[in-house]
Amino acid sequence: MTQAQIDLEKISQHLNSNGSSPWTWVFYGDSATHGAAHTRGFRAFPEIFAERVRWELRLLYDVVINTAISGQTTVHLLDEKFYEWRVRRFNPDAVSILIGGNDIIHLKNPDQFRDNLVELVRRVRADNAIPLLQTYGKILPVPEKEEYMIRYNKWQEYNQIIRDAAAAESVILIDNNKYWNDNIPDEKTLKFWLGESIHPGGKGHLEIAKCIFQTFGIYNPESLSANPIGTPWSLAE
């Protein structure tokens, strides 16, 4: 078995346990994880994940922590002071990393991004936690905004770097980009998933959570965490 398979088996065993050995889950990254503003008050995917794990799976003593901050890059995530405060002090069992959207603008070096991502993964492993890498979903072009267009033109390149790093380091990959490509047939649907052109909205965060559930083998389309009652996407458009 590869290390990624071993890690996935550990996660599966825990998620199907009686909760006698609680886990701490940390979600680390930028605005796509932070979930600020563009969710319009709906839950970000770490909160939806917490609902599925801590309530529906009855792992009541698990702790789910979102330490992501909008606008950050791999450089911020690697900063030892920030890493200590936002990851290490919680002694996590698993750490989700979704990063790169701002590296496109501020780092401007795909090789350095790859190296930073690998360093993050290795640091998480050195702290005896399971690293999880996530790709980004889809975005829309905004011709009047130069930085948005730079992101749009490099989006797939950076998502592929995340995939390649996951394969090279044998890390569990949550491939939101593939999930969005497979489940979004047109621009109208994409706009429904986005809060604005490059940020997932409430619906997008729900779909990211569902992608995590499917990766971990805990997806139930009938559960409230997967199809919340009383929200626009619980009904046909």
Side-chain angles (χ1 to χ4, degrees):
M1 294 177 69
T2 66
Q3 185 60 53
Q5 290 171 326
I6 292 170
D7 289 344
L8 192 58
E9 179 62 26
K10 288 180 181 177
I11 288 173
S12 178
Q13 288 177 359
H14 171 69
L15 293 174
N16 289 282
S17 72
N18 61 9
S20 58
S21 298
W23 277 28
T24 297
W25 307 79
V26 169
F27 288 82
Y28 199 39
D30 59 18
S31 56
T33 301
H34 189 168
H38 304 295
T39 57
R40 304 294 194 273
F42 288 108
R43 284 177 168 176
F45 72 83
E47 297 171 284
I48 301 170
F49 177 83
E51 176 75 2
R52 180 73 178 129
V53 171
R54 299 187 65 243
W55 180 247
E56 294 177 350
L57 299 184
R58 311 304 289 175
L59 298 175
L60 302 176
Y61 292 96
D62 274 25
V63 175
V64 179
I65 303 169
N66 182 356
T67 64
I69 297 176
S70 296
Q72 298 217 316
T73 69
T74 52
V75 176
H76 295 103
L77 268 58
L78 281 170
D79 182 284
E80 187 63 30
K81 179 179 67 175
F82 292 152
Y83 181 86
E84 176 68 33
W85 180 250
R86 295 162 59 193
V87 179
R88 186 177 285 136
R89 74 186 178 107
F90 297 114
N91 191 27
D93 296 276
V95 179
S96 164
I97 300 169
L98 175 52
I99 196 68
N102 298 306
D103 291 79
I104 296 173
I105 301 299
H106 299 291
L107 202 59
K108 298 180 181 178
N109 185 333
D111 291 334
Q112 186 61 56
F113 171 63
R114 180 184 295 105
D115 292 345
N116 288 354
L117 202 59
V118 168
E119 174 60 25
L120 274 168
V121 165
R122 293 178 179 177
R123 187 178 295 183
V124 169
R125 284 206 191 281
D127 288 339
N128 298 312
I130 296 174
L132 310 165
L133 285 180
Q134 297 201 52
T135 59
Y136 291 89
K138 299 175 68 174
I139 62 174
L140 288 167
V142 183
E144 64 273 20
K145 293 185 178 181
E146 181 181 0
E147 289 190 352
Y148 276 46
M149 290 308 298
I150 293 172
R151 285 188 177 92
Y152 183 77
N153 291 327
K154 292 183 175 290
W155 204 248
Q156 293 307 320
E157 176 186 359
Y158 275 67
N159 272 328
Q160 190 57 49
I161 290 172
I162 296 168
R163 292 188 186 98
D164 292 344
E169 297 297 310
S170 195
V171 174
I172 296 169
L173 176 68
I174 298 161
D175 200 345
N176 295 297
N177 187 250
K178 182 180 185 304
Y179 179 93
W180 284 44
N181 283 328
D182 289 346
N183 290 281
I184 298 178
D186 50 40
E187 186 173 302
K188 179 182 177 182
T189 304
L190 176 56
K191 288 180 177 179
F192 189 53
W193 288 31
L194 291 171
E196 62 93 57
S197 58
I198 65 171
H199 291 92
K203 171 64 170 171
H205 276 271
L206 173 64
E207 296 300 331
I208 292 171
K210 286 161 66 173
C211 187
I212 297 172
F213 299 160
Q214 290 180 15
T215 302
F216 290 172
I218 58 170
Y219 176 60
N220 177 1
E222 302 302 318
S223 71
L224 293 181
S225 64
N227 186 29
I229 293 173
T231 58
W233 49 83
S234 67
L235 306 173
E237 285 189 73

